[in-house]
Amino acid sequence: MRRLKLAVQLYTLRNDLKTPEDISESLKKVKQLGYTAVQASGVGPIDVHEFKALADREGLNICATHVGYNDLLNNMDGVIAQHKAWDCKYVGLGGLPVEFRDSREGYAAFAKQATEFGRQLQAAGLKFIYHNHDFEFAKYEGKTGMDILFEETDPEAVYFELDVYWVQAGGADPIAWIRKMGGRMKVVHFKDMIVTPDRKQRFAEIGEGNMNFRGIIEACREIGVEWAAVEQDDCYDRNPFDSIAISLRNLQALGLN
């Protein structure tokens, strides 16, 4: 089985990434904690080449990104140039634009658009990856939005980046969905869920919540996922660097590094 490697989804650290100086210091901390790769998302204004130089200085691979829908639609040449400069193969879209979310027809229309994006990126040697939330698991005429996206996109052009927390929050089985992806997922988002005594779902450090990460890791290995990006949308009262350190330690205890 392919080795599954860890990265940090930088969106977790977004409040510490607002200036080039912040970015420099934060990337240094990420490396000191023991990570060797990042997913670029939530990063403040910085020159493309400067960001690459800072990542290279720390020995951090830029394994994937999240970019804006409008950039994909209106500035594909710039998106391609940025990813080439970063030696980054996986071009991620962080969520479905609102205008496509309310009907089966909307999901089908986005599936066509995603296929077009994917084919453009594929021609440049890159891969388009789509990141889900929970709303894609609403049903339309008996099928979830995720089913529609999976079935109606070109499997050669559109890959997925399952966020296991949001799959769980949508009432679906993360392990089953990972296996369903087969060869169509090379990047996954690792995120844990805990429930408070007053019945609120909360984000948690990996291994501190209730999700079956042994099974999730096994399924990811089975289908050949390359990168597991650790993400925590909200760390609440804990410093985000402490949160990603806890997640790393717990994942290392499960055999990842």
Side-chain angles (χ1 to χ4, degrees):
M1 292 185 288
R2 183 186 295 273
R3 177 172 172 259
L4 181 61
K5 297 172 285 188
L6 295 178
V8 173
Q9 158 59 315
L10 289 178
Y11 180 78
T12 307
L13 309 173
R14 59 195 178 278
N15 291 327
D16 293 281
L17 298 168
K18 293 182 177 179
T19 68
E21 292 76 20
D22 291 342
I23 294 164
S24 175
E25 186 61 26
S26 293
L27 292 180
K28 183 180 297 183
K29 289 179 182 178
V30 165
K31 182 57 183 272
Q32 289 171 345
L33 290 174
Y35 287 94
T36 59
V38 297
Q39 179 173 11
S41 175
V43 179
I46 188 171
D47 176 76
V48 167
H49 299 286
E50 183 179 0
F51 183 78
K52 172 63 170 167
L54 292 174
D56 285 349
R57 182 194 69 189
E58 303 303 334
L60 292 169
N61 189 313
I62 306 171
C63 66
T65 65
H66 278 175
V67 300
Y69 176 72
N70 286 335
D71 288 327
L72 291 166
L73 196 63
N74 300 312
N75 186 30
M76 182 62 82
D77 288 345
V79 169
I80 290 169
Q82 172 183 321
H83 286 74
K84 293 284 191 180
W86 286 354
D87 193 24
C88 177
K89 183 177 182 180
Y90 297 111
V91 183
L93 179 65
L96 190 70
V98 173
E99 60 266 29
F100 295 106
R101 297 184 190 180
D102 60 353
S103 67
R104 192 202 186 288
E105 291 74 23
Y107 277 88
F110 178 76
K112 291 181 181 178
Q113 182 65 76
T115 292
E116 182 178 335
F117 290 154
R119 288 174 177 166
Q120 289 177 274
L121 292 167
Q122 188 178 40
L126 305 174
K127 282 289 186 185
F128 176 68
I129 58 176
Y130 176 79
H131 170 274
N132 66 282
H133 291 83
D134 52 357
F135 57 78
E136 292 93 341
F137 293 92
K139 285 192 173 181
Y140 304 90
E141 301 172 23
K143 288 190 175 184
T144 67
M146 276 295 285
D147 289 322
I148 297 165
L149 295 179
F150 186 78
E151 294 169 9
E152 299 193 19
T153 49
D154 180 350
E156 297 298 319
V158 176
Y159 279 45
F160 289 84
E161 178 189 39
L162 283 182
D163 184 307
V164 295
Y165 175 102
W166 288 121
V167 177
Q168 184 94 12
D173 180 347
I175 294 173
W177 265 95
I178 290 166
R179 290 186 170 132
K180 180 174 181 174
M181 289 293 160
R184 294 183 69 180
M185 186 167 73
K186 300 301 180 184
V187 185
V188 66
H189 270 192
F190 276 6
K191 186 185 302 180
D192 212 342
M193 179 190 295
I194 198 165
V195 175
T196 66
D198 56 352
R199 301 176 59 191
K200 293 180 181 177
Q201 289 181 353
R202 283 171 59 122
F203 304 105
E205 292 76 20
I206 310 302
E208 302 297 310
N210 297 320
M211 296 181 64
N212 178 9
F213 268 91
R214 286 190 184 276
I216 287 168
I217 290 167
E218 180 182 353
C220 287
R221 284 172 166 158
E222 286 175 9
I223 70 164
V225 175
E226 296 174 10
W227 293 101
V230 172
E231 182 180 37
Q232 193 168 332
D233 299 38
D234 193 336
C235 301
Y236 309 102
D237 295 328
R238 181 171 277 154
N239 184 297
F241 290 97
D242 293 337
S243 289
I244 64 173
I246 292 167
S247 291
L248 179 60
R249 287 198 300 270
N250 290 341
L251 286 165
Q252 287 172 334
L254 291 172
L256 295 184
N257 53 46

